[in-house]
Amino acid sequence: MTDPNPHPRTGPRDPHDPRGPHTLVVRLDSVGDVLLAGPAVRMAAAGSRRVTLLAGPLGEGAARLLPGVDEVLTFDAPWVGREPAAVDRAETAALIEALARRRFDRALVLTSYHQSPLPMALLLKLAGVAWVGADSEDYPGSLLELRHRRAAGRHEAEAAMDLAAAAGFALPDGDHGGPAIHPPPDTGPLTGTDPYVVVHPGASAPARAWSRERAARAVAALAGAGHRVVVTGGASEKELTAAVAGEHALDLGGRTGLHELAGVLAGARAAVVGNTGPSHLAAAVGTPVVCLFSPVVPAERWAPFGVPHVLLGDQSAPCAGTRDVRCPVPGHPCLDAVADDEVLTALDRLPPASPADRTTTDRTTTDRTALEAPA
């Protein structure tokens, strides 16, 4: 792997150097998690000469969309995700070597409220990172220079910004502090130019979305109320989107990557979507969200951030707080019981889309090197 730093250093940097530190930000989980880390990343970028983001394979695509990121590295951490990778000594050694070559001055390890930063902090110390900050309820020993305590009930985006602020970073002047991405492509040739509403029926955790049948009925109701509907989904969701779109909507299932999906969302009047990555992607492009929010995770921490939104779903359902991937209650009542008129009323309550300022920094992603084993 080629070291992207053209001026390798022979010793530790002075953190007060006016050029700023080379900062590593770590966020190892999914698309939505990485997008919500975006404001904290911009804070780090405003006070650093260079920012590298270490992401997991599920969040890598989102990491490449964030303003303020100069380089993206990937690592499939064995302590993250529903199907975590096996512990692999060679891959872990390759990560430590890649991090050591970059000689980071400081690192921020961003985690969700229920995760521990300490496995990553240990690897960072083995890579020679002298200053590491993270939220940690567990005693960190010598692994953290900044052991920050997350405020109770804090939204994930705000908690990440709190940590960045405790590390001495601040948002640049004029930054709105909400999620943002690099400007998406024009997707008019895909969607057409007439106004539309996006319905995104899928989610990596089925508990966080409508059932297929319920989503199809909602699309029919939206179309019947005069809305032009565009149904979106990934390559593995084409059967789902076709069934949900039926004869009532434009089916774009499997026809958009993440950045193209952002373009489709940016052009929408609103997005109707579960508590999943595309809800945060919609927020990042300034599109209002009708969020079908299953209470398996708390809305106060994971609702769409920085954009007008309406939450639908029974937040006191028996599944509340379980973090279940699949609904543990027969019939999925917390979401499937949401009536069509509730969806239509929610859309009426939302203001027109107001595209977010997605150019909050002049920095661009110039080196997107994936982690490789040392030669």
Side-chain angles (χ1 to χ4, degrees), residues 240-308:
L240 169 65
T241 61
V244 169
E247 299 178 354
H248 303 286
L250 172 63
D251 177 15
L252 293 185
R255 297 179 64 187
T256 60
L258 193 63
H259 210 195
E260 291 77 22
L261 176 58
V264 172
L265 290 166
R269 157 74 178 84
V272 181
V273 59
N275 172 31
T276 186
S279 69
H280 303 298
L281 190 61
V285 295
T287 298
V289 179
V290 175
C291 190
L292 302 159
F293 203 100
S294 167
V296 291
V297 295
E300 65 182 359
R301 294 188 173 107
W302 291 106
F305 185 72
V307 71

Short mmCIF file of all heavy atoms in Angstrom, two decimals, residues 240-308:
data_model
loop_
_atom_site.label_atom_id
_atom_site.label_comp_id
_atom_site.label_asym_id
_atom_site.label_seq_id
_atom_site.Cartn_x
_atom_site.Cartn_y
_atom_site.Cartn_z
N LEU A 240 -38.85 -7.59 -3.94
CA LEU A 240 -39.65 -6.81 -3.00
C LEU A 240 -40.19 -5.54 -3.65
O LEU A 240 -41.39 -5.24 -3.56
CB LEU A 240 -38.80 -6.45 -1.78
CG LEU A 240 -39.39 -5.42 -0.81
CD1 LEU A 240 -40.65 -5.95 -0.15
CD2 LEU A 240 -38.35 -5.01 0.24
N THR A 241 -39.33 -4.78 -4.30
CA THR A 241 -39.79 -3.51 -4.87
C THR A 241 -40.80 -3.72 -5.99
O THR A 241 -41.74 -2.94 -6.14
CB THR A 241 -38.61 -2.67 -5.39
OG1 THR A 241 -37.90 -3.39 -6.42
CG2 THR A 241 -37.64 -2.33 -4.25
N ALA A 242 -40.63 -4.79 -6.77
CA ALA A 242 -41.60 -5.07 -7.84
C ALA A 242 -42.97 -5.36 -7.24
O ALA A 242 -44.00 -4.88 -7.76
CB ALA A 242 -41.12 -6.23 -8.68
N ALA A 243 -43.01 -6.15 -6.17
CA ALA A 243 -44.28 -6.48 -5.54
C ALA A 243 -44.92 -5.25 -4.91
O ALA A 243 -46.14 -5.07 -4.96
CB ALA A 243 -44.07 -7.57 -4.50
N VAL A 244 -44.11 -4.38 -4.31
CA VAL A 244 -44.64 -3.21 -3.63
C VAL A 244 -45.10 -2.16 -4.65
O VAL A 244 -46.14 -1.52 -4.47
CB VAL A 244 -43.58 -2.61 -2.67
CG1 VAL A 244 -44.00 -1.24 -2.15
CG2 VAL A 244 -43.33 -3.57 -1.51
N ALA A 245 -44.34 -1.97 -5.72
CA ALA A 245 -44.72 -0.98 -6.73
C ALA A 245 -45.97 -1.41 -7.49
O ALA A 245 -46.86 -0.58 -7.77
CB ALA A 245 -43.56 -0.76 -7.70
N GLY A 246 -46.05 -2.69 -7.84
CA GLY A 246 -47.20 -3.18 -8.58
C GLY A 246 -47.46 -2.36 -9.82
O GLY A 246 -46.54 -2.01 -10.56
N GLU A 247 -48.73 -2.00 -10.03
CA GLU A 247 -49.12 -1.17 -11.18
C GLU A 247 -49.27 0.30 -10.79
O GLU A 247 -49.68 1.12 -11.61
CB GLU A 247 -50.44 -1.67 -11.76
CG GLU A 247 -50.37 -3.11 -12.28
CD GLU A 247 -51.71 -3.59 -12.80
OE1 GLU A 247 -52.71 -2.84 -12.63
OE2 GLU A 247 -51.76 -4.69 -13.36
N HIS A 248 -48.89 0.63 -9.55
CA HIS A 248 -49.18 1.97 -9.04
C HIS A 248 -47.96 2.88 -8.98
O HIS A 248 -48.11 4.08 -8.73
CB HIS A 248 -49.77 1.86 -7.64
CG HIS A 248 -51.00 1.03 -7.56
ND1 HIS A 248 -52.23 1.46 -8.02
CD2 HIS A 248 -51.20 -0.23 -7.08
CE1 HIS A 248 -53.12 0.51 -7.83
NE2 HIS A 248 -52.53 -0.53 -7.26
N ALA A 249 -46.76 2.35 -9.17
CA ALA A 249 -45.56 3.15 -8.91
C ALA A 249 -44.45 2.78 -9.88
O ALA A 249 -44.45 1.72 -10.51
CB ALA A 249 -45.09 2.93 -7.47
N LEU A 250 -43.47 3.67 -9.97
CA LEU A 250 -42.26 3.42 -10.72
C LEU A 250 -41.31 2.61 -9.85
O LEU A 250 -40.98 3.00 -8.73
CB LEU A 250 -41.60 4.76 -11.10
CG LEU A 250 -40.21 4.69 -11.74
CD1 LEU A 250 -40.27 3.96 -13.09
CD2 LEU A 250 -39.63 6.08 -11.90
N ASP A 251 -40.88 1.48 -10.36
CA ASP A 251 -40.00 0.57 -9.62
C ASP A 251 -38.55 0.81 -10.01
O ASP A 251 -38.15 0.53 -11.13
CB ASP A 251 -40.41 -0.88 -9.91
CG ASP A 251 -39.51 -1.90 -9.23
OD1 ASP A 251 -38.75 -1.51 -8.30
OD2 ASP A 251 -39.55 -3.08 -9.63
N LEU A 252 -37.75 1.32 -9.06
CA LEU A 252 -36.32 1.51 -9.30
C LEU A 252 -35.48 0.51 -8.52
O LEU A 252 -34.28 0.72 -8.32
CB LEU A 252 -35.90 2.94 -8.91
CG LEU A 252 -36.46 4.07 -9.76
CD1 LEU A 252 -35.86 5.41 -9.32
CD2 LEU A 252 -36.19 3.85 -11.24
N GLY A 253 -36.08 -0.57 -8.08
CA GLY A 253 -35.34 -1.57 -7.33
C GLY A 253 -34.13 -2.08 -8.10
O GLY A 253 -34.24 -2.49 -9.25
N GLY A 254 -32.94 -2.03 -7.46
CA GLY A 254 -31.72 -2.52 -8.07
C GLY A 254 -31.12 -1.60 -9.11
O GLY A 254 -30.12 -1.96 -9.73
N ARG A 255 -31.67 -0.42 -9.30
CA ARG A 255 -31.20 0.47 -10.38
C ARG A 255 -30.36 1.64 -9.85
O ARG A 255 -29.94 2.48 -10.64
CB ARG A 255 -32.39 0.98 -11.18
CG ARG A 255 -33.15 -0.14 -11.89
CD ARG A 255 -34.35 0.40 -12.65
NE ARG A 255 -33.94 1.30 -13.73
CZ ARG A 255 -34.79 2.01 -14.46
NH1 ARG A 255 -36.09 1.95 -14.21
NH2 ARG A 255 -34.35 2.81 -15.42
N THR A 256 -30.14 1.69 -8.56
CA THR A 256 -29.37 2.81 -7.99
C THR A 256 -28.34 2.29 -7.00
O THR A 256 -28.64 1.42 -6.18
CB THR A 256 -30.29 3.81 -7.26
OG1 THR A 256 -30.98 3.13 -6.20
CG2 THR A 256 -31.30 4.43 -8.20
N GLY A 257 -27.12 2.82 -7.09
CA GLY A 257 -26.18 2.68 -6.01
C GLY A 257 -26.51 3.69 -4.93
O GLY A 257 -27.49 4.44 -5.04
N LEU A 258 -25.66 3.77 -3.91
CA LEU A 258 -25.98 4.64 -2.78
C LEU A 258 -26.03 6.10 -3.20
O LEU A 258 -26.94 6.85 -2.80
CB LEU A 258 -24.94 4.43 -1.67
CG LEU A 258 -25.30 5.04 -0.32
CD1 LEU A 258 -26.57 4.41 0.25
CD2 LEU A 258 -24.14 4.87 0.66
N HIS A 259 -25.08 6.55 -4.02
CA HIS A 259 -25.06 7.96 -4.41
C HIS A 259 -26.23 8.26 -5.35
O HIS A 259 -26.84 9.35 -5.26
CB HIS A 259 -23.73 8.29 -5.08
CG HIS A 259 -23.31 9.72 -4.87
ND1 HIS A 259 -22.33 10.31 -5.62
CD2 HIS A 259 -23.76 10.67 -4.02
CE1 HIS A 259 -22.17 11.56 -5.22
NE2 HIS A 259 -23.03 11.81 -4.27
N GLU A 260 -26.59 7.34 -6.23
CA GLU A 260 -27.75 7.54 -7.10
C GLU A 260 -29.04 7.54 -6.28
O GLU A 260 -29.95 8.32 -6.57
CB GLU A 260 -27.80 6.46 -8.18
CG GLU A 260 -26.71 6.53 -9.22
CD GLU A 260 -25.36 6.02 -8.72
OE1 GLU A 260 -25.35 5.23 -7.74
OE2 GLU A 260 -24.33 6.43 -9.28
N LEU A 261 -29.11 6.68 -5.28
CA LEU A 261 -30.27 6.69 -4.40
C LEU A 261 -30.40 8.05 -3.72
O LEU A 261 -31.51 8.58 -3.58
CB LEU A 261 -30.16 5.58 -3.35
CG LEU A 261 -31.27 5.55 -2.30
CD1 LEU A 261 -32.64 5.39 -2.94
CD2 LEU A 261 -31.01 4.42 -1.29
N ALA A 262 -29.27 8.62 -3.31
CA ALA A 262 -29.31 9.97 -2.74
C ALA A 262 -29.90 10.97 -3.72
O ALA A 262 -30.67 11.86 -3.34
CB ALA A 262 -27.91 10.39 -2.31
N GLY A 263 -29.55 10.82 -5.00
CA GLY A 263 -30.11 11.71 -6.01
C GLY A 263 -31.61 11.55 -6.15
O GLY A 263 -32.35 12.54 -6.28
N VAL A 264 -32.08 10.31 -6.13
CA VAL A 264 -33.52 10.06 -6.20
C VAL A 264 -34.22 10.68 -4.99
O VAL A 264 -35.27 11.32 -5.11
CB VAL A 264 -33.80 8.55 -6.30
CG1 VAL A 264 -35.29 8.27 -6.18
CG2 VAL A 264 -33.26 8.00 -7.61
N LEU A 265 -33.64 10.49 -3.81
CA LEU A 265 -34.23 11.07 -2.60
C LEU A 265 -34.19 12.58 -2.62
O LEU A 265 -35.14 13.25 -2.18
CB LEU A 265 -33.48 10.54 -1.37
CG LEU A 265 -33.70 9.06 -1.05
CD1 LEU A 265 -32.67 8.57 -0.05
CD2 LEU A 265 -35.11 8.83 -0.52
N ALA A 266 -33.11 13.15 -3.16
CA ALA A 266 -32.99 14.61 -3.21
C ALA A 266 -34.07 15.23 -4.08
O ALA A 266 -34.48 16.37 -3.84
CB ALA A 266 -31.60 15.00 -3.72
N GLY A 267 -34.53 14.51 -5.08
CA GLY A 267 -35.56 15.04 -5.97
C GLY A 267 -36.97 14.81 -5.49
O GLY A 267 -37.93 15.26 -6.14
N ALA A 268 -37.14 14.12 -4.36
CA ALA A 268 -38.47 13.73 -3.90
C ALA A 268 -39.14 14.81 -3.07
O ALA A 268 -38.48 15.60 -2.39
CB ALA A 268 -38.37 12.44 -3.09
N ARG A 269 -40.45 14.82 -3.10
CA ARG A 269 -41.24 15.66 -2.20
C ARG A 269 -41.04 15.22 -0.76
O ARG A 269 -40.95 16.03 0.16
CB ARG A 269 -42.72 15.55 -2.61
CG ARG A 269 -43.75 15.89 -1.55
CD ARG A 269 -43.84 17.37 -1.30
NE ARG A 269 -44.89 17.68 -0.32
CZ ARG A 269 -44.74 17.64 0.99
NH1 ARG A 269 -43.57 17.29 1.51
NH2 ARG A 269 -45.74 17.94 1.80
N ALA A 270 -40.95 13.90 -0.55
CA ALA A 270 -40.74 13.32 0.78
C ALA A 270 -40.38 11.86 0.58
O ALA A 270 -40.56 11.29 -0.51
CB ALA A 270 -41.97 13.46 1.67
N ALA A 271 -39.87 11.24 1.63
CA ALA A 271 -39.57 9.81 1.61
C ALA A 271 -40.37 9.12 2.70
O ALA A 271 -40.43 9.60 3.83
CB ALA A 271 -38.07 9.58 1.82
N VAL A 272 -40.96 7.99 2.35
CA VAL A 272 -41.66 7.13 3.31
C VAL A 272 -40.78 5.90 3.48
O VAL A 272 -40.60 5.11 2.53
CB VAL A 272 -43.06 6.74 2.81
CG1 VAL A 272 -43.76 5.86 3.84
CG2 VAL A 272 -43.89 7.99 2.52
N VAL A 273 -40.21 5.73 4.65
CA VAL A 273 -39.15 4.73 4.83
C VAL A 273 -39.08 4.31 6.29
O VAL A 273 -39.46 5.07 7.18
CB VAL A 273 -37.79 5.33 4.35
CG1 VAL A 273 -37.44 6.58 5.11
CG2 VAL A 273 -36.66 4.30 4.43
N GLY A 274 -38.62 3.09 6.53
CA GLY A 274 -38.45 2.62 7.89
C GLY A 274 -37.22 3.22 8.55
O GLY A 274 -36.52 4.06 7.96
N ASN A 275 -36.96 2.78 9.76
CA ASN A 275 -35.78 3.24 10.48
C ASN A 275 -34.58 2.48 9.95
O ASN A 275 -34.15 1.46 10.49
CB ASN A 275 -35.95 3.00 11.97
CG ASN A 275 -34.67 3.28 12.74
OD1 ASN A 275 -33.89 4.14 12.35
ND2 ASN A 275 -34.45 2.56 13.83
N THR A 276 -34.02 3.00 8.86
CA THR A 276 -32.93 2.32 8.17
C THR A 276 -32.10 3.36 7.43
O THR A 276 -32.44 4.55 7.41
CB THR A 276 -33.51 1.26 7.20
OG1 THR A 276 -32.47 0.50 6.62
CG2 THR A 276 -34.36 1.90 6.11
N GLY A 277 -30.98 2.95 6.84
CA GLY A 277 -30.04 3.88 6.25
C GLY A 277 -30.65 4.92 5.33
O GLY A 277 -30.30 6.11 5.41
N PRO A 278 -31.55 4.56 4.40
CA PRO A 278 -32.11 5.57 3.51
C PRO A 278 -32.87 6.69 4.20
O PRO A 278 -33.01 7.77 3.65
CB PRO A 278 -33.02 4.74 2.59
CG PRO A 278 -32.34 3.41 2.53
CD PRO A 278 -31.84 3.19 3.93
N SER A 279 -33.37 6.47 5.43
CA SER A 279 -34.01 7.58 6.14
C SER A 279 -32.97 8.64 6.48
O SER A 279 -33.24 9.85 6.38
CB SER A 279 -34.71 7.09 7.41
OG SER A 279 -33.80 6.66 8.40
N HIS A 280 -31.77 8.21 6.84
CA HIS A 280 -30.70 9.17 7.14
C HIS A 280 -30.09 9.74 5.87
O HIS A 280 -29.62 10.88 5.86
CB HIS A 280 -29.64 8.48 8.01
CG HIS A 280 -30.22 7.92 9.27
ND1 HIS A 280 -30.80 8.70 10.24
CD2 HIS A 280 -30.32 6.63 9.71
CE1 HIS A 280 -31.23 7.93 11.23
NE2 HIS A 280 -30.97 6.69 10.92
N LEU A 281 -30.12 8.97 4.79
CA LEU A 281 -29.66 9.48 3.50
C LEU A 281 -30.61 10.58 3.01
O LEU A 281 -30.16 11.60 2.48
CB LEU A 281 -29.57 8.34 2.49
CG LEU A 281 -28.87 8.65 1.16
CD1 LEU A 281 -27.42 9.06 1.38
CD2 LEU A 281 -28.95 7.43 0.23
N ALA A 282 -31.91 10.37 3.20
CA ALA A 282 -32.88 11.41 2.84
C ALA A 282 -32.61 12.68 3.64
O ALA A 282 -32.62 13.79 3.09
CB ALA A 282 -34.31 10.92 3.09
N ALA A 283 -32.34 12.53 4.93
CA ALA A 283 -32.04 13.69 5.76
C ALA A 283 -30.79 14.41 5.27
O ALA A 283 -30.71 15.64 5.30
CB ALA A 283 -31.88 13.27 7.22
N ALA A 284 -29.81 13.65 4.81
CA ALA A 284 -28.55 14.24 4.36
C ALA A 284 -28.71 15.07 3.10
O ALA A 284 -27.86 15.93 2.81
CB ALA A 284 -27.51 13.15 4.14
N VAL A 285 -29.78 14.84 2.33
CA VAL A 285 -30.02 15.65 1.13
C VAL A 285 -31.19 16.60 1.33
O VAL A 285 -31.66 17.23 0.37
CB VAL A 285 -30.23 14.76 -0.12
CG1 VAL A 285 -28.96 13.99 -0.44
CG2 VAL A 285 -31.42 13.82 0.04
N GLY A 286 -31.66 16.75 2.58
CA GLY A 286 -32.68 17.74 2.90
C GLY A 286 -34.09 17.35 2.57
O GLY A 286 -34.96 18.23 2.50
N THR A 287 -34.37 16.06 2.40
CA THR A 287 -35.71 15.62 2.04
C THR A 287 -36.50 15.22 3.29
O THR A 287 -36.03 14.38 4.06
CB THR A 287 -35.65 14.44 1.06
OG1 THR A 287 -35.00 14.88 -0.15
CG2 THR A 287 -37.02 13.91 0.72
N PRO A 288 -37.68 15.77 3.51
CA PRO A 288 -38.48 15.39 4.67
C PRO A 288 -38.80 13.89 4.67
O PRO A 288 -38.89 13.26 3.60
CB PRO A 288 -39.74 16.24 4.53
CG PRO A 288 -39.34 17.39 3.68
CD PRO A 288 -38.32 16.84 2.72
N VAL A 289 -39.00 13.35 5.86
CA VAL A 289 -39.16 11.90 6.01
C VAL A 289 -40.42 11.57 6.80
O VAL A 289 -40.64 12.12 7.89
CB VAL A 289 -37.94 11.29 6.74
CG1 VAL A 289 -38.12 9.78 6.91
CG2 VAL A 289 -36.65 11.59 5.97
N VAL A 290 -41.23 10.68 6.26
CA VAL A 290 -42.24 9.97 7.03
C VAL A 290 -41.57 8.67 7.44
O VAL A 290 -41.35 7.79 6.59
CB VAL A 290 -43.52 9.72 6.23
CG1 VAL A 290 -44.49 8.86 7.05
CG2 VAL A 290 -44.18 11.03 5.84
N CYS A 291 -41.21 8.56 8.71
CA CYS A 291 -40.39 7.44 9.17
C CYS A 291 -41.26 6.43 9.90
O CYS A 291 -41.85 6.75 10.94
CB CYS A 291 -39.26 7.93 10.07
SG CYS A 291 -38.05 6.66 10.46
N LEU A 292 -41.33 5.23 9.35
CA LEU A 292 -42.02 4.12 10.01
C LEU A 292 -41.06 3.58 11.05
O LEU A 292 -40.16 2.79 10.75
CB LEU A 292 -42.38 3.07 8.97
CG LEU A 292 -43.27 3.61 7.85
CD1 LEU A 292 -43.19 2.74 6.62
CD2 LEU A 292 -44.69 3.79 8.34
N PHE A 293 -41.24 4.02 12.28
CA PHE A 293 -40.22 3.79 13.29
C PHE A 293 -40.65 2.70 14.26
O PHE A 293 -41.49 2.90 15.14
CB PHE A 293 -39.91 5.08 14.06
CG PHE A 293 -38.55 5.06 14.69
CD1 PHE A 293 -37.48 5.71 14.08
CD2 PHE A 293 -38.32 4.35 15.85
CE1 PHE A 293 -36.22 5.66 14.64
CE2 PHE A 293 -37.07 4.29 16.42
CZ PHE A 293 -36.01 4.95 15.81
N SER A 294 -40.09 1.52 14.07
CA SER A 294 -40.30 0.44 15.02
C SER A 294 -39.53 0.73 16.29
O SER A 294 -38.35 1.13 16.24
CB SER A 294 -39.82 -0.88 14.42
OG SER A 294 -39.75 -1.89 15.41
N PRO A 295 -40.13 0.53 17.48
CA PRO A 295 -39.44 0.90 18.72
C PRO A 295 -38.41 -0.12 19.20
O PRO A 295 -37.99 -0.04 20.35
CB PRO A 295 -40.60 1.01 19.72
CG PRO A 295 -41.60 0.01 19.25
CD PRO A 295 -41.52 0.07 17.73
N VAL A 296 -37.99 -1.04 18.32
CA VAL A 296 -36.95 -1.98 18.75
C VAL A 296 -35.68 -1.24 19.16
O VAL A 296 -34.86 -1.74 19.93
CB VAL A 296 -36.64 -3.03 17.65
CG1 VAL A 296 -37.81 -3.98 17.48
CG2 VAL A 296 -36.28 -2.36 16.33
N VAL A 297 -35.47 -0.04 18.60
CA VAL A 297 -34.43 0.87 19.09
C VAL A 297 -35.12 2.20 19.40
O VAL A 297 -36.16 2.51 18.83
CB VAL A 297 -33.29 1.08 18.08
CG1 VAL A 297 -32.52 -0.21 17.87
CG2 VAL A 297 -33.81 1.61 16.75
N PRO A 298 -34.57 3.02 20.30
CA PRO A 298 -35.27 4.22 20.72
C PRO A 298 -35.23 5.34 19.69
O PRO A 298 -34.17 5.68 19.16
CB PRO A 298 -34.53 4.63 22.01
CG PRO A 298 -33.20 3.97 21.91
CD PRO A 298 -33.38 2.73 21.12
N ALA A 299 -36.38 5.93 19.45
CA ALA A 299 -36.47 7.02 18.47
C ALA A 299 -35.65 8.22 18.90
O ALA A 299 -35.12 8.95 18.05
CB ALA A 299 -37.93 7.41 18.27
N GLU A 300 -35.53 8.47 20.20
CA GLU A 300 -34.77 9.63 20.63
C GLU A 300 -33.31 9.57 20.19
O GLU A 300 -32.65 10.59 20.06
CB GLU A 300 -34.83 9.78 22.16
CG GLU A 300 -34.16 8.65 22.93
CD GLU A 300 -34.30 8.80 24.43
OE1 GLU A 300 -34.89 9.78 24.91
OE2 GLU A 300 -33.80 7.89 25.14
N ARG A 301 -32.81 8.36 19.91
CA ARG A 301 -31.43 8.20 19.48
C ARG A 301 -31.29 8.03 17.97
O ARG A 301 -30.21 8.29 17.42
CB ARG A 301 -30.80 6.99 20.18
CG ARG A 301 -30.64 7.17 21.69
CD ARG A 301 -29.82 6.02 22.26
NE ARG A 301 -29.52 6.22 23.66
CZ ARG A 301 -30.09 5.55 24.67
NH1 ARG A 301 -31.02 4.66 24.40
NH2 ARG A 301 -29.75 5.79 25.91
N TRP A 302 -32.35 7.55 17.29
CA TRP A 302 -32.17 7.12 15.90
C TRP A 302 -33.15 7.73 14.92
O TRP A 302 -33.16 7.36 13.75
CB TRP A 302 -32.29 5.59 15.83
CG TRP A 302 -31.15 4.89 16.48
CD1 TRP A 302 -31.18 4.24 17.68
CD2 TRP A 302 -29.82 4.79 16.02
NE1 TRP A 302 -29.94 3.73 17.97
CE2 TRP A 302 -29.09 4.06 16.97
CE3 TRP A 302 -29.17 5.26 14.87
CZ2 TRP A 302 -27.74 3.77 16.82
CZ3 TRP A 302 -27.82 4.97 14.71
CH2 TRP A 302 -27.13 4.23 15.67
N ALA A 303 -33.98 8.68 15.34
CA ALA A 303 -34.89 9.33 14.40
C ALA A 303 -34.11 10.11 13.35
O ALA A 303 -32.95 10.48 13.58
CB ALA A 303 -35.83 10.27 15.16
N PRO A 304 -34.70 10.38 12.18
CA PRO A 304 -34.02 11.24 11.20
C PRO A 304 -33.59 12.54 11.86
O PRO A 304 -34.33 13.13 12.65
CB PRO A 304 -35.10 11.47 10.13
CG PRO A 304 -35.99 10.27 10.24
CD PRO A 304 -36.02 9.92 11.70
N PHE A 305 -32.39 12.98 11.53
CA PHE A 305 -31.76 14.10 12.24
C PHE A 305 -31.61 15.30 11.31
O PHE A 305 -31.16 15.17 10.17
CB PHE A 305 -30.38 13.67 12.76
CG PHE A 305 -29.69 14.71 13.60
CD1 PHE A 305 -30.14 14.99 14.88
CD2 PHE A 305 -28.60 15.41 13.11
CE1 PHE A 305 -29.50 15.94 15.66
CE2 PHE A 305 -27.95 16.36 13.88
CZ PHE A 305 -28.41 16.63 15.16
N GLY A 306 -32.02 16.47 11.81
CA GLY A 306 -31.75 17.71 11.07
C GLY A 306 -32.65 17.96 9.89
O GLY A 306 -32.32 18.76 9.02
N VAL A 307 -33.80 17.29 9.84
CA VAL A 307 -34.71 17.45 8.70
C VAL A 307 -36.13 17.28 9.23
O VAL A 307 -36.36 16.53 10.19
CB VAL A 307 -34.40 16.40 7.60
CG1 VAL A 307 -34.80 15.00 8.04
CG2 VAL A 307 -35.06 16.74 6.29
N PRO A 308 -37.13 17.98 8.67
CA PRO A 308 -38.51 17.75 9.11
C PRO A 308 -38.90 16.29 8.93
O PRO A 308 -38.64 15.69 7.88
CB PRO A 308 -39.32 18.68 8.20
CG PRO A 308 -38.36 19.74 7.77
CD PRO A 308 -37.04 19.06 7.66
#
